[in-house]
Amino acid sequence: MGGAVSGWPAGGGSDVPVEPMSAATTAGGRVLVAGAYSVDLVFQGLAGPVAYGTEVWAEGFSMVPGGAYTLAMGLRRLGRDVVWAADFGNDAFSEAVLAAARDEDLDERGFRHHPRPQRNVTVALSHPGDRAMVSYGDPVVARPLAELIDTYRPTVVMLPFLQYGPEVSDALDLAARTGAEVFMDCQDFAGSVDMPEVAKVLGQVGVFAPNAAEALRVTGAGSVDDALEVLAGLVPTVVIKQDSKGAVAAEHGVRVVQPSVPVEVVDTTGAGDCFNVGFVHSRLAGGTLAECLAAGVACGAASVTAAGSGGALDAAGLRQWLARLSA
């Protein structure tokens, strides 16, 4: 999520010309991000637990663009050539995210504009160590993933959540034929490795990156180490995000652990997405698994120091955070 907070400039819903990316940004290839935006309404410093029949006051509030916007924005800040496939309507939330996207100079070729509301909203109740979320999205028929891959011919395809089924599998076959690596997050989407459709799709992705709770749920394992072992039997590269503990990964029989650094936590919303950005950025640069994991942890840690992912790093900021990790 970008640096904008409540009070974003108003944005329109029409297409605008987009200048070609410079040679510096295209080095390493194009990233296709396929996923919906969200507007995150983040309440911080809650006075107590939230329960039906009660009212709880918060010490702070921010309205920030999120969802797949965070992935596209984060990669763009790091200088990557990124196309974001997303849908926008004529509502205030769509216009606010469009304005933020234009402030970040995002490529708009993947945007579709609809003459109706296309609202995607998440209320995030944020505590220093965790958060609870309530979300709503207006229905829309997404562009087929295979069509997006065929149109934009990316080097990396980023999928923000666990998805599976024949259409997804066919699209991932196309990605393999065109030489694109697929990076898939998990999030709170149903599915387990006991389901043949899930196991098949995980065998087609290059990188699978759940958080610890998601890894345990998807595998049914009793520990993160066991979950990593199960997933490593299906996916070439597995990354498990562990919040303040950092992350652990496995690739071709090699296991890597990357601790985080102590930070003053403002809000954890979007931290996992920022981790994904750092990991993919380093992977495009030819980084080792350890280097990719360090970049992911650096970006994730930096993001929690601001509301939403307003702390997402640019290239200079990433270098400074990597120096902190290695100190």
Side-chain angles (χ1 to χ4, degrees), residues 97-132:
V97 177
L98 275 170
R102 288 165 179 162
D103 284 346
E104 295 287 347
D105 193 29
L106 290 182
D107 188 332
E108 298 189 37
R109 286 175 294 168
F111 294 178
R112 291 193 308 182
H113 302 274
H114 305 277
R116 62 178 187 275
Q118 192 57 55
R119 300 162 297 178
N120 296 287
V121 185
T122 293
V123 174
L125 307 176
S126 180
H127 289 274
D130 207 347
R131 78 274 191 231

Side-chain angles (χ1 to χ4, degrees), residues 12-316:
S14 59
D15 290 304
V16 297
V18 178
E19 295 297 324
M21 294 288 185
S22 68
T25 61
T26 56
R30 173 176 296 144
V31 182
L32 169 66
V33 174
Y37 84 82
S38 175
V39 169
D40 293 340
L41 308 177
V42 183
F43 293 82
Q44 300 159 271
L46 302 183
V50 177
Y52 287 111
T54 66
E55 181 179 17
V56 176
W57 284 87
E59 293 178 356
F61 171 77
S62 300
M63 186 175 83
V64 291
Y69 167 87
T70 299
L71 300 174
M73 174 276 296
L75 287 163
R76 186 69 186 93
R77 284 191 184 183
L78 290 172
R80 291 298 173 187
D81 176 2
V82 54
V83 173
W84 176 28
D87 292 272
F88 300 92
N90 59 7
D91 56 280
F93 295 118
S94 291
E95 291 179 353
V97 177
L98 275 170
R102 288 165 179 162
D103 284 346
E104 295 287 347
D105 193 29
L106 290 182
D107 188 332
E108 298 189 37
R109 286 175 294 168
F111 294 178
R112 291 193 308 182
H113 302 274
H114 305 277
R116 62 178 187 275
Q118 192 57 55
R119 300 162 297 178
N120 296 287
V121 185
T122 293
V123 174
L125 307 176
S126 180
H127 289 274
D130 207 347
R131 78 274 191 231
M133 295 184 288
V134 180
S135 298
Y136 171 81
D138 284 317
V140 65
V141 177
R143 287 175 66 183
L145 182 58
E147 175 188 315
L148 294 172
I149 293 170
D150 188 52
T151 299
Y152 298 111
R153 297 294 168 132
T155 302
V156 174
V157 179
M158 293 193 77
L159 303 179
F161 60 89
L162 175 63
Q163 47 192 288
Y164 51 89
E167 289 189 9
V168 176
S169 186
D170 289 346
L172 300 192
D173 278 341
L174 176 60
R177 292 197 301 272
T178 58
E181 180 173 67
V182 178
F183 180 106
M184 181 182 282
D185 203 328
C186 185
Q187 301 203 24
D188 292 325
F189 284 80
S192 72
V193 296
D194 293 332
M195 301 168 59
E197 301 94 335
V198 173
K200 181 178 181 180
V201 161
L202 290 180
Q204 293 176 284
V205 305
V207 183
F208 183 52
N211 64 29
E214 293 160 353
L216 297 178
R217 175 176 55 78
V218 168
T219 62
S223 69
V224 169
D225 285 343
D226 289 344
L228 185 67
E229 184 176 351
V230 171
L231 292 171
L234 296 170
V235 189
T237 304
V238 180
V239 179
I240 299 181
K241 294 165 280 192
Q242 301 187 89
D243 300 326
S244 61
K245 296 180 181 178
V248 60
E251 183 177 69
H252 307 309
V254 177
R255 184 176 183 272
V256 177
V257 176
Q258 176 60 61
S260 189
V261 293
V263 295
E264 183 175 347
V265 177
V266 173
D267 173 37
T268 59
T269 307
D273 289 331
C274 285
F275 175 101
N276 296 345
V277 164
F279 188 96
V280 168
H281 170 70
S282 181
R283 199 162 177 90
L284 283 167
T288 64
L289 180 60
E291 290 168 338
C292 293
L293 207 61
V297 167
C299 287
S303 77
V304 305
T305 63
S309 50
L313 298 173
D314 59 15

